[in-house]
Amino acid sequence: MQIMVVSNTAEALLPPAVFLMGPTASGKTAAAVALAQKFPLEIVSVDSALVYRDMDIGTAKPDAATLAAAPHHLIDVIAPTEVYSAAQFRADVLPLMADITARGHVPLLAGGTMLYFKALREGLSDLPQADAELRAEIERDAAERGWPALHRDLAQVDPVTASRLQPADSQRIQRALEVVRLTGKPMSDAWALGREAALPYRVLPLALMPSDRQVLHQRIAQRFDDMLRMGLLEELTGLRERYELHPELPSMRCVGYRQAWAYQAGEYSYDEMRDRGIFATRQLAKRQITWLRSMSDAVVLDSLDSRIEQMVSQQVADFLG
């Protein structure tokens, strides 16, 4: 199915929605809360980590006071033992946005999981369901040869998808290889040919981008240190006591938890765990910034500007009229 093209005239008749995007530690939550307190907006979290219950510290989940002042949808929706996908996000968020619009409010989708934004705006292809036996086979291969070797394998059969992935991005490499082996076709072909209808909203895409990468890195390091001080390791211990977890679960692959798990397993020293956690967060921010730069219609605002909340507010005011 082809992407539906909406004319400018038709688009003007669509209900509004605001996308507030940015790399980790760019101030999205503060900006979203400020907007929700000023405009008739309802915040919808676009974050693949915030969906997990009881994972609060390592995901930088908004605290109780923040959530009381500005409630967020799609937070704490599944257990850490469960899996949440871009397809599930789209299935959950479309009716939620319709409900928000029906209440006379505007959906404010705020977060840093760029794949979710892409899935919502462009639709998803009809990809096959996960195959547990095949996944186990791919994981065994990775254990023997390493994920960079499987990334090279993927480049042979699906160079388009491979070019978008880092050699250590195990979760996405695994899924791409799985799709090829199940369907005989590259995942990139399925994405190109299997789009759903366009999002039926008039969107204001705002991108909070840091003008100084070093300042962002300092923020990332400070936030990771704050997480450790607040009890990230103790939180992980409690999660492991409460749930049947293992390190290959998507929840435990989240940045911070992955490094904390390895530390508890004796693989890293404390200092190495901290350094690896900060580095992984910086790499995540780099990938998020790359996604944002590819969005040609995004309104880019300097997240380090002291007037950022006023700047975002003015964009929304102009958009809503």
Side-chain angles (χ1 to χ4, degrees), residues 33-51:
V33 170
L35 287 173
Q37 293 176 334
K38 187 172 184 178
F39 299 98
L41 303 171
E42 292 189 37
I43 301 173
V44 180
S45 171
V46 186
D47 191 300
S48 60
L50 294 186
V51 297

Side-chain angles (χ1 to χ4, degrees), residues 37-107:
Q37 293 176 334
K38 187 172 184 178
F39 299 98
L41 303 171
E42 292 189 37
I43 301 173
V44 180
S45 171
V46 186
D47 191 300
S48 60
L50 294 186
V51 297
Y52 295 113
R53 292 190 293 272
D54 299 320
M55 291 174 56
D56 302 331
I57 296 172
T59 63
K61 192 172 292 178
D63 60 24
T66 301
L67 294 176
H72 289 48
H73 298 283
L74 293 187
I75 285 182
D76 295 333
V77 296
I78 62 171
T81 51
E82 299 177 86
V83 176
Y84 198 80
S85 65
Q88 186 61 54
F89 171 79
R90 195 174 202 273
D92 288 343
V93 83
L94 285 173
L96 177 57
M97 292 176 70
D99 289 344
I100 293 171
T101 300
R103 288 193 287 271
H105 293 171
V106 175

Side-chain angles (χ1 to χ4, degrees), residues 210-276:
S211 56
D212 187 332
R213 192 73 65 88
Q214 284 302 116
V215 174
L216 179 66
H217 289 174
Q218 291 167 8
R219 285 187 176 184
I220 286 171
Q222 183 61 57
R223 190 164 79 163
F224 197 80
D225 284 338
D226 288 344
M227 288 176 179
L228 291 172
R229 177 181 53 79
M230 293 167 63
L232 172 60
L233 294 171
E234 293 78 7
E235 179 176 73
L236 177 57
T237 298
L239 288 166
R240 295 177 69 172
E241 292 172 350
R242 194 174 308 124
Y243 299 99
E244 292 290 333
L245 300 175
H246 59 80
E248 295 307 313
L249 281 169
S251 63
M252 293 298 102
R253 289 181 176 178
C254 290
V255 172
Y257 292 97
R258 183 169 70 248
Q259 291 76 26
W261 186 295
Y263 166 70
Q264 291 185 344
E267 297 176 27
Y268 304 149
S269 68
Y270 183 89
D271 288 343
E272 187 177 6
M273 176 269 296
R274 174 189 176 273
D275 291 345
R276 284 176 176 267

Side-chain angles (χ1 to χ4, degrees), residues 76-142:
D76 295 333
V77 296
I78 62 171
T81 51
E82 299 177 86
V83 176
Y84 198 80
S85 65
Q88 186 61 54
F89 171 79
R90 195 174 202 273
D92 288 343
V93 83
L94 285 173
L96 177 57
M97 292 176 70
D99 289 344
I100 293 171
T101 300
R103 288 193 287 271
H105 293 171
V106 175
L108 168 59
L109 290 97
T113 302
M114 302 306 161
L115 179 61
Y116 286 10
F117 281 112
K118 180 180 176 67
L120 178 60
R121 202 165 188 189
E122 298 182 8
L124 286 166
S125 58
D126 187 17
L127 294 174
Q129 293 295 313
D131 182 290
E133 184 175 341
L134 179 54
R135 287 202 165 188
E137 178 184 321
I138 293 171
E139 287 178 359
R140 286 193 297 271
D141 193 10

